[in-house]
């Protein structure tokens, strides 16, 4: 029976009961939400009571259509899951939870099977497939915009606040359109939480935009020049893309931290994201340790798919980096061309003023005007070069780093499993020794330890299989997204190039009769 | 005097900057050119039915220094003081291009073979373009001389065109360089004359206007020329940027196993073609705009030189007047003073007359050349923009059409 259970799909198929739940920020996805009539979970300081009453804008409660199957599903769930299920504790904290117990929705669905069992892979398979199929259609109806950067405060404590606007018809949100103010460290905090929850089980969590001490300092200090406006715009666009990628991920979209980020007007300050904080330094140390560990793990790869994919991503990374460098050069030179064109326009105008032949003088002035317009054109094209082409490449270079990270986690998972097997062996040897030495109390201890480690070995194997499965799915999804992303952006970019050329045609066509009019 | 600018439009302009319509009694062209290590040898071919020449068709080999010798000979000739001497062609300069080719040869291991081949192709094309330009500059210099009714009859010109042997015009030695330096100082004094600082009274409105006009015009056209050069170079840079982009897209495409494969490969092809178009835009801007501005910068300098000479003649005339007055008051050596004054007067008037004509010709030459080049520039820009639009649209259709 448990095998038939599946988490409800996103979008229209939401159970009506769910609306009652608005005031309890529950990590459990809609499945479990219907289980409690009164939430006894500790509430993170999020949705104030007002939000619930604003339900009039919310998802249309009357339109929800439920399959009969799903109703049964929930009925079952009500009985099975205990509110005090031990898995709940680590999940609900608002700090990055210790990356020990993998927290996947399946945990919540099938705890009944075994106390610490982690997955029912078969079930999960099918359910995920369904979500993905739904996701591929237009059921994924959520749009995020990041806008209106505003400087808050003064001096070195100042920061930029960005407006995050969400437009959605998904019923998991209380409204269909809402916005909040967030600062950069909030985004980093969000990423940090998502990464700690999902990365080590194989989900490709989109990386947040990079910090820039230099860029931000200029803004803080109050320099109102074009380079700091450019910096802010670059960051704003990057934050927008980051959020858009994150919500596209069906699993991440379900995450309450993400929802809290998008919805709640107040967010606890994420101090651990500061570069020079204690947590920041700890992160750096851990990263270094990880790098060393990675080199020493010699994994017995039984699945050629993983080796192939890793190689593929490695190659892709190299190629994208190369392309990125060349595109950056293109942006730079186009900006130069724009500046030089502007300078030429000015001197052409001066020349036109000097020229004493009237018609030629007029033509030269017209030429100056054309060149000025062309300079504008080059500038706009340089922006397109950058924001469409260059930033796409740098986004994917960082995304691939996340993908590589996920593969690394799998290796670590394998290592853990391997270590458990080795330990089990040692324990068995110890038991054998005890048997011979005939020490009954120590023997009992040995037997207990063996049981313990047998369980750990089984767990290790299950974890490894789970992460492998998740990665396969994630990579499939990632590749699909990548193809879509690149195609969309490439088409947009080419259209910008066409636009530029058409404008050029317009300008030169207007100029030609002027040149011909020189008598 | 003939005004050749208004003559029939039959001339064969080989350099776009100058509209030459000469009659066919003297045709000069550079039929061949060879670039050796540090010099260029031009084959100057003449076709003429004039009695001054022994044959009707003949050619000689000349180097850059011999062109300069010819130019200087004209400048120093008092007879041509009232004419605009066509500006001397610039020295052939392949230095920059050669350096770039050498650097490319030294190799950069991160560059693929195709990229290397393309870059080499680009540099070779650049080298060739510079070569063609220097030939054109030398040619137009001779052709302007041949078209000018007075200048074409110069004896040195005949020697230049016909004398089979080397003219033994070695590079300037120290004394000549010094002489050139001194001449420049004298020229600055002339500048003072022409800018009106010396208090010389200009009597003729036409020349007053021309003076102010040319001073400003020359400065501004020099500016415009420099900046046009920068635009052209930036364009060239941009075109070159497409090479590594196209190469990277190509390798991305060949590695992909999914639908992006065709997208990347098509994009790589697109950028390769865009590169060629951008390159052509750059070289057209160079020829039609930069080169034209540069030529008229030199020509306006030659016109300024004419004005100097006329003003110097005016100064001489005024001095002669003063000397005559002095002689008359003292009643001593009146006769020589009188004849000297007469000579100065005649010289000044002769110069003024021919200068007026020359300056008007300069104006019409300039106007028609600008007209021609600006029209051609606009037409070429349109042509390239339309071609770019076409290939971009085709690629878009292909990309959108894919599943």
């Amino acid at each position: 029976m448990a095998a038939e259970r599946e988490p409800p799909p996103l979008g229209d198929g939401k159970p009506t009961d769910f609306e009652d739940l608005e005031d309890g920020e529950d990590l459990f996805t809609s499945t479990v939400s219907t289980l409690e009539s009164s939430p006894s979970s500790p509430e993170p300081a999020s949705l104030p009571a007002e939000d619930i009453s604003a339900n009039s804008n919310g998802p249309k409660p009357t339109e929800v259509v439920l399959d009969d199957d799903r109703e049964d599903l929930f009925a079952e769930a009500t009985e099975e899951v205990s509110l005090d299920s031990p898995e709940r504790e680590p999940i609900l904290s608002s700090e990055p939870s210790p990356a020990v117990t993998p927290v996947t929705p399946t945990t919540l669905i099938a705890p009944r099977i075994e106390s610490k069992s982690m997955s029912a892979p078969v079930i999960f398979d099918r359910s995920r497939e369904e979500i993905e199929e739904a996701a591929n259609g237009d059921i994924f109806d959520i749009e995020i915009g990041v806008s209106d950067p505003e400087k808050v405060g003064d001096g070195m404590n100042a920061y930029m606040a960005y407006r995050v606007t969400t437009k959605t018809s998904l019923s998991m949100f209380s409204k269909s359109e809402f916005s909040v103010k967030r600062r950069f460290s909030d985004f980093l905090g969000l990423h940090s939480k998502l990464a700690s929850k999902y990365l080590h089980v194989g989900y490709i969590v989109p990386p947040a935009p990079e910090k820039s001490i230099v860029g931000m300092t200029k803004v803080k200090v109050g320099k109102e020049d074009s380079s700091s406006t450019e910096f802010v715009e670059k960051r704003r666009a990057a934050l927008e893309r980051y959020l858009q990628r994150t919500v596209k991920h069906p699993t991440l979209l379900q995450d309450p931290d993400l929802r809290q980020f998008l919805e709640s007007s107040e967010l606890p300050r994420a101090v651990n994201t500061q570069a020079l904080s204690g947590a920041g330094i700890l992160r750096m140390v851990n990263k270094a340790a990880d790098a060393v560990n990675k080199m020493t793990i010699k994994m017995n790869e039984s699945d050629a798919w993983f080796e192939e994919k890793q190689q593929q991503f490695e190659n892709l990374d190299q190629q994208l980096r190369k392309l990125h460098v060349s595109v950056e050069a293109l942006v730079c030179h186009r900006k130069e061309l724009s500046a030089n064109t502007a300078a030429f326009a000015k001197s052409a105008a001066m020349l036109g003023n000097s020229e004493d032949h009237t018609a030629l003088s007029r033509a030269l002035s017209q030429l100056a005007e054309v060149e000025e317009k062309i300079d504008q054109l080059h500038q706009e094209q340089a922006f397109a070069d950058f924001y469409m082409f260059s930033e796409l490449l740098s986004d994917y270079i960082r995304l691939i780093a996340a993908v590589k990270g996920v593969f690394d986690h799998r290796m670590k998972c394998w290592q853990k499993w391997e270590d458990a097997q080795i330990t089990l062996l040692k324990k068995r040897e110890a038991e054998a020794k005890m048997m011979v030495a005939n020490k009954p109390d120590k023997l009992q201890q040995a037997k207990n330890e063996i049981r313990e480690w047998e369980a750990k070995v089984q767990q290790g194997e299950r974890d490894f299989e789970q992460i492998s499965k998740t990665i396969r799915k994630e990579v499939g999804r990632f590749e699909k997204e990548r193809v879509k992303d690149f195609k969309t952006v490439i088409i947009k970019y080419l259209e910008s190039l066409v636009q530029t050329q058409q404008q050029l045609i317009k300008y030169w066509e207007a100029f030609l009769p002027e040149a011909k009019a020189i008598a | 005097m003939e005004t050749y600018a208004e003559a029939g439009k039959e001339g064969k302009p080989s350099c776009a900057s100058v509209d030459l319509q000469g009659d066919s009694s003297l045709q000069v062209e550079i039929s061949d050119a060879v670039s050796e290590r540090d010099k260029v040898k031009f084959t100057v071919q003449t076709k003429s039915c004039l009695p001054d020449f022994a044959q009707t068709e003949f050619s000689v080999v000349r180097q850059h220094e011999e062109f300069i010798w010819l130019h200087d000979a004209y400048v120093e000739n008092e007879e041509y003081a009232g004419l605009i001497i066509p500006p001397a062609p610039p020295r052939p300069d392949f230095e920059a291009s050669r350096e770039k080719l050498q650097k490319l040869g030294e190799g950069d291991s991160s560059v693929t073979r195709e990229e290397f081949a393309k870059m080499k192709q680009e540099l070779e094309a650049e080298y060739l373009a510079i070569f063609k330009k220097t030939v054109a500059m030398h040619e137009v210099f001779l052709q302007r001389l041949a078209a000018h009714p007075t200048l074409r009859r110069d004896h040195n010109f005949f020697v230049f065109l016909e004398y089979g042997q080397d003219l033994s015009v070695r590079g300037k030695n120290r004394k000549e360089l010094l002489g050139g330096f001194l001449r420049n100082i004298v020229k600055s004094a002339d500048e003072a004359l022409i800018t009106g600082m010396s208090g010389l009274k200009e009597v003729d409105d036409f020349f007053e206007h021309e003076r102010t006009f040319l001073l400003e015009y020359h400065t501004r056209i020099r500016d415009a020329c420099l900046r046009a050069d920068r635009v052209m170079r930036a364009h060239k840079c941009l075109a070159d940027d497409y090479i590594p982009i196209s190469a990277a897209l190509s390798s991305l495409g060949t590695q992909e196993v999914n639908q992006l494969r065709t997208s990347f490969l098509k994009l790589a092809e697109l950028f390769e073609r865009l590169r060629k178009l951008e390159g052509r835009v750059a070289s057209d801007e160079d020829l039609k705009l930069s080169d034209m501005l540069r030529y008229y910068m030199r020509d306006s300098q030659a016109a300024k030189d004419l004005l100097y000479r006329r003003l110097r003649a005016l100064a001489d005339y005024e001095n002669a007047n003063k000397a005559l007055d002095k002689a008359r008051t003292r009643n001593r050596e009146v006769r020589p003073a009188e004849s000297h004054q007469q000579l100065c007067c005649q010289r000044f008037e002769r110069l003024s007359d021919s200068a007026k004509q020359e300056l008007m010709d300069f104006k019409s030459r300039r106007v028609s050349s600008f007209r021609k080049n600006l029209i051609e520039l606009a037409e070429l820009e349109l042509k390239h923009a339309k071609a770019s639009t076409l290939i971009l649209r085709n690629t878009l259709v292909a990309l959108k059409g894919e599943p």
Side-chain angles (χ1 to χ4, degrees), chain A residues 316-355:
Chain A
L316 188 60
D317 185 38
Q318 272 178 21
Q319 290 301 332
L320 285 180
R321 279 177 200 274
K322 233 174 97 175
L323 183 59
H324 185 233
V325 166
S326 311
V327 174
E328 285 194 312
L330 181 73
V331 174
C332 181
H333 288 143
R334 215 189 282 277
K335 286 193 179 153
E336 238 177 76
L337 176 61
S338 159
N340 289 349
T341 308
F344 174 69
K346 290 206 184 79
S347 54
M350 299 270 277
L351 189 64
N353 282 341
S354 283
E355 176 59 63

Side-chain angles (χ1 to χ4, degrees), chain A residues 325-435:
Chain A
V325 166
S326 311
V327 174
E328 285 194 312
L330 181 73
V331 174
C332 181
H333 288 143
R334 215 189 282 277
K335 286 193 179 153
E336 238 177 76
L337 176 61
S338 159
N340 289 349
T341 308
F344 174 69
K346 290 206 184 79
S347 54
M350 299 270 277
L351 189 64
N353 282 341
S354 283
E355 176 59 63
D356 61 353
H357 185 274
T358 337
L360 179 55
S361 169
R362 190 172 50 234
L364 285 171
S365 306
Q366 294 291 77
L367 180 69
E369 266 181 49
V370 167
E371 293 287 338
E372 228 181 271
K373 291 195 199 136
I374 291 180
D375 147 46
Q376 262 306 105
L377 219 55
H378 286 314
Q379 250 184 53
E380 283 163 18
Q381 185 60 61
F383 280 141
D385 288 345
F386 179 73
Y387 283 105
M388 289 188 216
F389 206 178
S390 179
E391 288 283 77
L392 173 75
L393 295 172
S394 71
D395 280 353
Y396 268 90
I397 290 172
R398 291 208 320 282
L399 273 165
I400 287 180
V403 173
K404 287 203 226 174
V406 143
F407 278 99
D408 288 344
H409 277 297
R410 178 174 171 269
M411 277 215 289
K412 280 198 250 167
C413 194
W414 181 86
Q415 188 68 62
K416 203 163 151 224
W417 177 28
E418 184 75 0
D419 287 346
Q421 288 180 311
I422 291 173
T423 314
L424 178 62
L425 210 61
K426 285 206 203 118
K427 298 295 177 188
R428 291 221 164 105
E429 284 170 6
E431 187 206 28
K433 272 202 220 133
M434 292 305 145
M435 284 227 197

Side-chain angles (χ1 to χ4, degrees), chain A residues 210-486:
Chain A
E210 282 168 352
K211 285 196 248 260
S212 162
I213 296 180
V214 171
M216 259 331 272
T217 310
K218 271 210 261 179
V219 173
K220 284 185 211 242
V221 162
K223 277 191 86 184
E224 282 292 326
D225 64 358
S226 62
S227 71
S228 43
T229 18
E230 252 184 69
F231 170 79
V232 171
E233 172 54 29
K234 181 177 168 183
R235 180 165 275 194
R236 182 210 64 80
L239 291 172
E240 194 173 79
R241 291 193 308 271
Y242 163 65
L243 282 181
Q244 284 169 340
R245 288 215 172 88
T246 308
V247 298
K248 275 209 199 111
H249 194 302
T251 310
L252 296 180
L253 181 58
Q254 308 260 26
D255 188 286
D257 279 323
L258 177 59
R259 260 182 286 145
Q260 184 186 48
F261 179 90
L262 291 175
E263 280 188 316
S264 64
S265 45
E266 290 290 314
L267 207 62
R269 181 81 196 279
V271 288
N272 290 339
T273 60
Q274 280 164 351
L276 298 178
S277 70
I281 294 183
L282 185 64
R283 255 199 304 277
M284 283 195 280
V285 169
N286 282 339
K287 265 208 185 133
D290 278 352
V292 172
N293 280 342
K294 189 162 53 141
M295 292 191 281
T296 57
I297 296 180
K298 282 284 303 178
M299 180 168 155
N300 256 344
E301 188 56 80
S302 55
D303 193 340
W305 184 91
F306 285 91
E307 230 173 272
E308 234 179 79
K309 282 295 169 190
Q310 272 185 285
Q311 189 56 50
Q312 216 186 301
F313 280 114
E314 187 57 50
N315 291 343
L316 188 60
D317 185 38
Q318 272 178 21
Q319 290 301 332
L320 285 180
R321 279 177 200 274
K322 233 174 97 175
L323 183 59
H324 185 233
V325 166
S326 311
V327 174
E328 285 194 312
L330 181 73
V331 174
C332 181
H333 288 143
R334 215 189 282 277
K335 286 193 179 153
E336 238 177 76
L337 176 61
S338 159
N340 289 349
T341 308
F344 174 69
K346 290 206 184 79
S347 54
M350 299 270 277
L351 189 64
N353 282 341
S354 283
E355 176 59 63
D356 61 353
H357 185 274
T358 337
L360 179 55
S361 169
R362 190 172 50 234
L364 285 171
S365 306
Q366 294 291 77
L367 180 69
E369 266 181 49
V370 167
E371 293 287 338
E372 228 181 271
K373 291 195 199 136
I374 291 180
D375 147 46
Q376 262 306 105
L377 219 55
H378 286 314
Q379 250 184 53
E380 283 163 18
Q381 185 60 61
F383 280 141
D385 288 345
F386 179 73
Y387 283 105
M388 289 188 216
F389 206 178
S390 179
E391 288 283 77
L392 173 75
L393 295 172
S394 71
D395 280 353
Y396 268 90
I397 290 172
R398 291 208 320 282
L399 273 165
I400 287 180
V403 173
K404 287 203 226 174
V406 143
F407 278 99
D408 288 344
H409 277 297
R410 178 174 171 269
M411 277 215 289
K412 280 198 250 167
C413 194
W414 181 86
Q415 188 68 62
K416 203 163 151 224
W417 177 28
E418 184 75 0
D419 287 346
Q421 288 180 311
I422 291 173
T423 314
L424 178 62
L425 210 61
K426 285 206 203 118
K427 298 295 177 188
R428 291 221 164 105
E429 284 170 6
E431 187 206 28
K433 272 202 220 133
M434 292 305 145
M435 284 227 197
V436 168
N438 201 16
K439 291 195 181 132
D441 47 344
K442 289 249 172 87
L443 188 62
Q444 185 55 41
Q445 187 188 346
K447 286 205 194 294
N448 288 341
E449 284 182 354
I450 286 180
R451 242 200 313 278
E452 190 191 326
W453 282 96
E454 275 176 347
K456 284 200 180 148
V457 165
Q458 282 186 319
Q459 184 62 55
E461 185 174 5
R462 265 194 295 268
D463 285 347
F464 182 71
E465 278 176 13
Q466 182 57 49
I467 198 178
S468 300
K469 186 152 265 126
T470 308
I471 291 181
R472 274 184 187 263
K473 208 140 290 144
E474 280 289 284
V475 165
R477 193 190 60 83
F478 178 81
E479 286 290 87
K480 265 213 196 112
E481 272 302 314
R482 180 167 75 91
V483 169
K484 228 171 46 177
D485 233 347
F486 268 82

Side-chain angles (χ1 to χ4, degrees), chain B residues 21 35 41 127 162 262 325 350 367:
Chain B
Q21 316 95 1
S35 162
K41 298 208 168 123
Y127 192 94
E162 206 179 15
T262 26
D325 284 343
R350 179 173 62 89
V367 171

